[in-house]
């Protein structure tokens, strides 16, 4: 369970004028890198390393004493005084356990409990180096005091300087007038300076009094007291604040992190927003052997700016606003996982106004789910209740989602040695949603009157049964699989006050018959000095689904599928369970694959195929088997009556280990036109460079959107280019442009840089994107959003700013930011 590592207390911004000079710590000047066990990289520098060198602890000069507690010594001369003192001169070396002291002179009193060393001296202990002018070292305990100290912890890369360093106990050190940093020797990009610094390597944290943060020798923060991590362990305390400025107002968030236990923690975040007031946020996380979850939310009791920005909003000044989101995943056993999710928000504009992460545009709903599965060898069972809150303001009644309360699924499969198999597929779901309309389905929305289609203005239960039998013959040279599924769907519907003659208990029973057959030819050949294997795989697939009257059927969860390579071999024209598309077609195609013979890795696959239709496809979302789409000039009508599908050509090519491309082209040879094409090219260099080039073209009407507002009334042509260029191991340049060529506009633009040094990192990103306001057919109401993002990370001390890494990885596929 990771968390940002910048735990602070009593945080405040100050300059030197705010602190009196007695509190202004002045540590000694640092030593050269050569005296701090620093080794610059040579030709053996690992790829991608951002540090210019590394710390190396040399071998001990003396062997460990044979008896625990005994001290081994070595020196040029040794003198014994009359009072029992022992004085060692020259190159003096003392070792007790893992502690070794090197000095020019060491005086040991008669009690043999201390060693007073004169410098320059060196103290080593378990990956720790301390150099100083003089020291007092206990020979009976872990205590030691060193003046004018310069220290480095090799593994954690901590180093600093102190007027005095005291080893209080094993791995616990107190430093006075001291500095602390993880930057390389000679680099003063940042350091923490305090009057009294305590480093507890056992607990993994440090504290400092009257501390200041210097960036480039310039003080930028002052704390009366500060607590900070010195390794990857989590610590309780303040995280770095997030500060934003928008329209002249300040947005300041100050998180406080609670490390409650090794397996659960919490973060409380007060946030002051100039125009709105105080917003309190919190997050709680837990992790157990078989369960994990997150609970988060935020609340503002009196939003002073609610309702100011949009005349159509239902918000008013002074409204309370909030959100709540709980997610849990667990398992009762390896075969019985379960999931819980519940999210809610006070209004549809909450995340538009207050956000969640950088540039977030996909918080369009709050999910609700309770699900449990059984994953058996024969049976797979599932029970779930599912829904979500739609985040629109105001909410269009016609867009409200259906809830599944509940949905029960039982699927089983039995196979015999001869190739025969049987399947049982079943689902029973009750669909419900809360919508308001009159007896004819009309309702008011934004000063207009709209109507909910009858097939959506209903709730009720649906039973789907699809038992199937089949035979799979699969020798090495091909396959043959006839299969028959009996699709049965029945409903128990409730139309409430809606006036209709539709049946409340419609049913459908129809066979879904397919015959799938293919051959596999192989040949071995040599090319470019390598051995290859090529396959040639012709395939035939026949599907027959009779038409059935579905005009009384509702539309709970169904959409018509756009044609693709996968649709060539599938008998189903719809997703969901409310429509069974009539089909009488034969698909034919061929695919050829090229494999590296030694590894079997596929380098290239090329496929081309088409479907021939023997009957029109009458069933659409209206479900009437006796009618076709009314507009004979429309793409929908053409799609329902054409004799053959477009040719589908698909190419997946791993050109080299770095270059790859994917292409799908749908070409209508009857009308001599392209219906859809998509091309993607990716370059991924070993050094970390990434380049993505994409192109998409779709004819008007191709996307088969069910809602008229989502049907584009133009041919879509889009270009997508994104890249990440690692100029050096430390410096990345990032960018993306998604361009709508049809309407001559950029849909999404992003440009940024990232600097990732050994002791700090910086991300600066600008983004501008277009929101289509859920109306794809009307670009006049689109709005433009912009954002500027800054993240500054001090390695080993934490970071300022929100985390954009998730967005970078989605915007630039293949890129790994690696700023931590």
């Amino acid at each position: 369970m990771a968390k940002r590592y910048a735990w602070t207390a009593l945080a405040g911004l100050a300059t030197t004028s705010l602190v009196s000079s007695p509190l202004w710590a002045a540590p000694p000047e640092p030593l050269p890198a050569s005296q701090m066990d620093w080794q610059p990289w040579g030709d053996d520098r690992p790829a991608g390393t951002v540090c210019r060198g590394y710390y190396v602890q040399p071998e001990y000069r003396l062997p460990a004493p044979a008896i625990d507690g005994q001290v081994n010594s070595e020196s040029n001369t040794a003198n014994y005084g009359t009072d029992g003192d022992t004085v060692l001169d020259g190159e003096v070396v003392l070792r007790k356990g893992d502690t070794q002291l090197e000095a020019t002179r060491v005086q040991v009193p008669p009690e043999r409990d201390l060693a007073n060393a004169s410098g320059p001296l060196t103290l080593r202990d378990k990956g720790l180096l301390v150099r100083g002018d003089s020291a007092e070292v206990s020979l009976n305990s872990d205590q030691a005091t060193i003046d004018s100290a310069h220290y480095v912890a090799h593994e954690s890369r901590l180093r600093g300087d102190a007027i005095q360093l005291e080893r209080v106990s094993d791995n616990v050190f107190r430093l006075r007038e001291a500095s602390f940093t993880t930057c390389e020797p000679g680099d003063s990009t940042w350091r923490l300076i305090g009057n009294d610094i305590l480093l507890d390597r056992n607990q993994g944290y440090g504290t400092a009094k009257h501390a200041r943060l210097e960036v480039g020798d310039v003080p930028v923060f002052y704390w009366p007291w500060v607590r900070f991590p010195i390794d990857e362990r989590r610590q309780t305390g303040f995280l770095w604040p997030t500060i934003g400025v928008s329209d002249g107002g300040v947005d300041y968030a100050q998180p406080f992190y609670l490390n409650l236990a090794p397996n659960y923690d919490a973060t409380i975040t007060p946030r002051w927003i100039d125009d709105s007031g105080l917003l309190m946020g919190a997050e709680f996380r837990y992790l157990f052997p078989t369960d994990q979850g997150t609970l988060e939310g935020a609340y503002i009791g009196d939003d002073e700016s609610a309702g100011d920005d949009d005349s159509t909003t239902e918000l008013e000044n002074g409204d309370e606003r909030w959100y709540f989101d709980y997610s849990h995943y667990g398992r009762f056993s390896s075969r019985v996982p379960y999931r819980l999710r519940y999210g809610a928000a006070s209004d549809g504009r909450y995340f538009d106004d207050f956000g969640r992460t950088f540039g977030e545009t996909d918080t369009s709903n709050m999910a609700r789910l309770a699900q449990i599965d059984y994953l058996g060898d024969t049976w797979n069972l599932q029970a779930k209740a599912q829904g979500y809150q739609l985040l629109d303001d105001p909410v269009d009644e016609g867009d409200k989602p259906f809830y599944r309360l509940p949905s029960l699924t039982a699927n089983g499969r039995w196979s015999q040695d001869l190739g025969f198999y049987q399947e049982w597929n079943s689902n029973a779901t009750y669909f419900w949603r809360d919508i308001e309309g009159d007896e004819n389905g009309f309702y008011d929305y934004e000063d207009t009157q709209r109507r909910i289609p009858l097939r959506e203005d209903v709730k009720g239960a649906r039973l789907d049964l699809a038992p199937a039998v089949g035979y799979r013959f699969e020798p090495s040279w091909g396959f043959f699989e006839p299969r028959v599924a009996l699709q049965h769907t029945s409903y128990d519907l409730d139309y409430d006050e809606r006036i209709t003659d539709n049946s409340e208990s419609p049913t459908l029973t129809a066979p879904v018959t397919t015959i799938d057959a293919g051959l596999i030819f192989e040949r071995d050949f040599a090319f470019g000095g390598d051995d290859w294997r090529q396959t040639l795989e012709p395939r035939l697939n026949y599907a027959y689904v009779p038409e059935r009257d579905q005009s009384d059927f509702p539309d709970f969860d169904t959409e018509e599928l756009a044609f693709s390579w996968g649709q060539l071999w599938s008998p189903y024209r719809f997703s969901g369970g409310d429509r069974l598309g009539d089909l009488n077609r034969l698909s034919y195609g061929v695919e050829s694959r090229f494999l590296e013979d030694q590894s079997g890795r596929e380098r290239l696959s090329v496929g081309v195929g088409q479907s021939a239709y023997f009957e029109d496809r009458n069933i659409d979302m209206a479900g009437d088997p006796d009618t076709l789409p009314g507009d004979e000039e429309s793409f929908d009508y053409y799609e329902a009556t054409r004799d053959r599908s477009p040719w589908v050509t698909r190419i997946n090519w791993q050109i080299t280990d770095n270059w790859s491309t994917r292409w799908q082209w749908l070409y209508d040879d009857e009308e001599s036109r392209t219906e859809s094409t998509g091309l993607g090219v990716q370059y991924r260099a070993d050094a970390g460079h990434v380049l993505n080039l994409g192109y998409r073209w779709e004819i008007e009407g191709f996307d088969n959107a069910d809602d008229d507002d989502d049907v584009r009334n133009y041919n879509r042509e889009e270009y997508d280019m994104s890249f990440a260029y690692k100029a050096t191991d430390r410096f990345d340049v990032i960018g993306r442009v998604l361009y709508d060529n049809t309407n001559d506009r950029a849909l999404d633009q992003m440009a940024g840089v990232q600097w990732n040094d050994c002791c700090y990192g910086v991300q600066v990103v600008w983004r501008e994107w277009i929101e289509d306001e859920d109306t794809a057919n009307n670009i006049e109401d689109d709005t433009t959003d912009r954002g500027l993002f800054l993240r500054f990370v001090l390695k080993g001390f934490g970071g300022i700013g929100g985390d954009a890494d998730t967005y970078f990885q989605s915007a630039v596929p293949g890129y790994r930011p690696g700023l931590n």
Side-chain angles (χ1 to χ4, degrees), residues 73 76 178 206 295 320 403 418 486 509 516 566 586 601 633 685 715 742 753:
S73 65
N76 290 342
L295 173 66
E320 64 175 1
Y403 281 68
L418 295 177
L486 185 64
T509 302
D516 199 12
L586 176 67
R601 180 185 181 187
E633 300 299 323
N715 297 334
T742 305
V753 294

Side-chain angles (χ1 to χ4, degrees), residues 476-478 518-524 533-539 590-593 595:
S476 61
W477 45 265
L519 297 173
I520 301 175
F521 301 97
E522 294 184 350
R523 74 180 183 101
D524 297 327
R533 175 168 295 179
Q534 181 191 4
T535 69
L536 186 66
E537 304 172 35
R539 183 177 181 181
V590 62
E591 185 173 17
S592 182
R593 296 183 296 140
L595 303 95

Side-chain angles (χ1 to χ4, degrees), residues 506-583:
T507 62
L508 172 152
T509 302
V512 178
T513 305
T514 59
I515 301 175
D516 199 12
L519 297 173
I520 301 175
F521 301 97
E522 294 184 350
R523 74 180 183 101
D524 297 327
F525 68 99
F527 178 76
D530 297 322
D531 293 329
W532 293 82
R533 175 168 295 179
Q534 181 191 4
T535 69
L536 186 66
E537 304 172 35
R539 183 177 181 181
L540 292 174
N541 182 285
Y542 175 74
Y544 177 73
V545 182
E547 62 183 28
R548 293 289 187 267
D549 187 359
Q550 299 163 61
S551 56
D552 286 355
F553 283 23
D555 176 15
F556 291 138
D557 63 354
T558 297
E559 292 183 354
E560 189 170 359
L561 297 169
F563 197 74
S564 65
W565 175 266
Q567 286 296 102
L568 285 173
W569 322 112
S570 172
Y572 299 103
R573 294 171 40 223
F574 297 89
S575 65
D578 297 310
R579 296 292 181 274
L580 181 65
D582 54 323
L583 191 65

Side-chain angles (χ1 to χ4, degrees), residues 41-53 729-730:
W41 289 108
D43 295 337
D44 58 343
R45 177 178 179 174
T49 301
V50 296
C51 296
R52 298 171 180 83
D729 289 333
R730 301 175 180 84

Side-chain angles (χ1 to χ4, degrees), residues 5 28 41 63 99 129 247 267 271 344 354 367 441-442 472 476-477 490 551 569 589 615 704 748 774 794 814:
Y5 300 109
W41 289 108
T99 302
L129 164 67
D247 297 328
T267 304
R271 177 181 173 190
F354 301 118
F442 288 100
R472 180 78 176 183
S476 61
W477 45 265
S490 61
S551 56
W569 322 112
E615 296 177 359
N704 287 330
D748 200 340
D774 297 324
L794 308 179

Side-chain angles (χ1 to χ4, degrees), residues 60-296:
Y60 283 97
R61 292 180 59 178
L62 291 179
I67 301 175
D68 188 32
Q70 184 179 8
V71 178
N72 285 357
S73 65
E74 179 182 279
S75 63
N76 290 342
T77 62
N79 299 311
Y80 302 94
T82 56
D83 56 358
D85 287 358
T86 301
V87 179
L88 306 177
D89 280 306
E91 294 186 17
V92 182
V93 182
L94 301 179
R95 181 172 180 184
K96 177 187 174 185
D98 291 324
T99 302
Q100 178 178 280
L101 175 65
E102 305 172 33
T104 56
R105 179 183 175 86
V106 175
Q107 184 263 336
V108 180
E111 296 79 11
R112 298 294 189 267
D113 57 347
L114 294 175
N116 296 301
S118 302
L121 59 86
T122 301
L123 179 70
R124 297 190 179 278
D125 185 4
K126 300 177 184 176
L128 177 73
L129 164 67
V130 182
R131 296 191 185 275
D133 290 344
S134 61
E136 183 179 272
V137 180
S138 172
L139 299 179
N140 297 328
S141 68
D142 294 317
Q143 293 182 335
T145 302
I146 302 174
D147 297 325
S148 297
H150 311 272
Y151 67 92
V152 59
H154 298 85
E155 184 176 356
S156 56
R157 306 179 65 85
L158 307 181
R159 69 170 182 87
D161 313 284
I163 295 297
Q164 186 180 79
L165 182 148
E166 177 185 358
R167 185 170 66 179
V168 180
S169 60
D170 185 28
N171 280 325
V172 179
F173 302 88
R174 182 177 298 278
L175 298 86
R176 305 190 188 280
E177 301 275 329
S179 66
F180 155 86
T181 186
T182 57
C183 295
E184 302 168 347
D187 185 348
S188 59
T189 298
W190 74 268
R191 60 177 183 165
L192 181 73
I193 299 175
N195 277 7
D196 187 352
I197 297 179
L198 181 71
L199 302 179
D200 189 338
R201 298 175 69 193
N202 295 320
Q203 300 297 322
Y205 70 87
T207 62
K209 297 178 181 178
H210 297 298
R212 68 183 186 271
L213 175 65
E214 290 188 354
V215 176
D217 297 327
V218 177
V220 294
F221 278 96
Y222 165 76
W223 297 269
W225 181 83
V226 60
R227 177 184 174 117
F228 53 90
I230 58 176
D231 58 24
E232 294 301 309
R233 283 175 285 183
R234 299 171 289 122
Q235 306 290 343
T236 294
F238 284 93
L239 304 179
W240 279 102
T242 299
I243 304 174
V245 179
S246 177
D247 297 328
V250 175
D251 184 344
Y252 178 87
Q254 178 58 72
F256 184 81
Y257 177 74
L258 295 167
N259 182 28
L260 302 174
N263 62 327
Y264 57 89
D265 59 17
T267 304
I268 300 173
T269 307
R271 177 181 173 190
W272 177 260
I273 306 169
D274 256 0
D275 294 336
S276 299
L278 179 63
L279 178 73
M280 291 295 298
E283 178 190 59
F284 177 74
R285 306 184 303 173
Y286 57 88
L287 177 64
F288 298 105
T290 60
D291 303 82
Q292 64 185 47
T294 302
L295 173 66
E296 64 177 81

